[in-house]
Amino acid sequence: MRLFTTGLLSLFLCAAAFTGCSDDTNRNSDDDDDGGSGPSSSSVGGSGAGGDATTAAGGNGSTTTGTGAGGAFTCQTARENALQANDGVSSGEIIILDDNGGDREVFIDATAGGFQAASQNPWVYIDLDTMTRVAIDDFQSFDDGGWDLAVKRTSLRNNSMHSGAGNGGTAWLNGATFESVTLADAQSATLEQEVWFDGQCNYQTDAIGTLVTSFGTWYNYLGAGALVPLDGVFVVRAADGQSFYKLQILNYYANPDGSVDGPTSARYLVRVQAL
């Protein structure tokens, strides 16, 4: 199995920043729930490569030429390290719990085996049109235009630039309600694509060593494993570069039946609708 991981770095940073980093099955000791920052103008908590980095990682991480949107991609190894790329296909469940004329409430299992085992497990890849899982591994995702959203633990990413072969994008509408967001809002928003690396293949990480993506830090950490989504709505442009969706994260501790405040983290309850 090809496996590139920054797990040791993440665990070290987690231990330095927080106490009680242990088992994922107990939300009161949830390892990767760090102190969230507020949203930036177009997305939550951070900018693309070349902005103000919380932590620079990757170094001279790659001399191997890979593929990606916009031509030759030269930070392949750094990308694999940053995403903890894995050649398995996720079995994480995606369950449409309610569909009211396309306004869907969806359960997404992005636990990836728990924090301790996350480096050994793949991302979940999602087709936002059907809200189904796309059966590809992390390495295939870099050249695949058939997925729109990828999720793993607290991290989300769209299909664009350094992340995949699509033309996706993300914008954060701070304080917006789900009902109020329109197609006009999406079309006028400043969409951020996944540009992670500078010319030396350095990339930004948050306080626990996780790659900063266009979704940034979308939550507040209230202590004792309490991770609460910020007040607002994401606009996501699909990989096709034309379709738009609004996405609201409702809960990070959901159960497959849609109930919330469960014992396990990284089980999302989201609301999503095409615009």
Side-chain angles (χ1 to χ4, degrees), residues 1 10 19 38 45 48 64 72 80 88 95 101-102 107 111 118 126 129 143 166 173 181 202 220 224 236 248 250:
M1 174 180 293
S10 297
T19 60
T64 304
E80 293 168 355
I95 304 171
F107 169 84
T111 52
I126 302 170
D129 181 44
D143 300 309
L173 305 183
V181 176
N202 297 312
N220 280 321
V236 181
Q248 184 176 32
L250 301 174

Side-chain angles (χ1 to χ4, degrees), residues 85-180:
N86 186 281
D87 63 3
V89 175
S90 174
S91 59
E93 279 191 301
I94 301 174
I95 304 171
I96 299 174
L97 300 168
D98 186 51
D99 188 342
N100 182 15
D103 180 353
R104 294 168 170 170
E105 194 169 277
V106 183
F107 169 84
I108 301 171
D109 181 358
T111 52
F115 178 76
Q116 302 291 350
S119 63
Q120 304 167 36
N121 288 279
W123 291 65
V124 180
Y125 295 92
I126 302 170
D127 179 334
L128 288 176
D129 181 44
T130 60
M131 282 308 301
T132 56
R133 181 163 41 83
V134 180
I136 56 174
D137 65 34
D138 294 337
F139 298 97
Q140 292 169 330
S141 76
F142 303 143
D143 300 309
D144 191 290
W147 61 273
D148 303 308
L149 177 70
V151 190
K152 180 179 180 180
R153 304 297 305 160
T154 58
S155 297
L156 298 90
R157 68 187 220 260
N158 67 54
N159 189 344
S160 68
M161 302 300 286
H162 299 166
S163 177
N167 190 27
T170 307
W172 169 249
L173 305 183
N174 188 42
T177 64
F178 191 83
E179 290 80 8
S180 70

Side-chain angles (χ1 to χ4, degrees), residues 158-160 167-171 191-193 214-215 235-239:
N158 67 54
N159 189 344
S160 68
N167 190 27
T170 307
L191 296 169
E192 185 175 348
Q193 295 193 303
S214 67
F215 287 84
V235 167
V236 181
R237 184 172 66 197

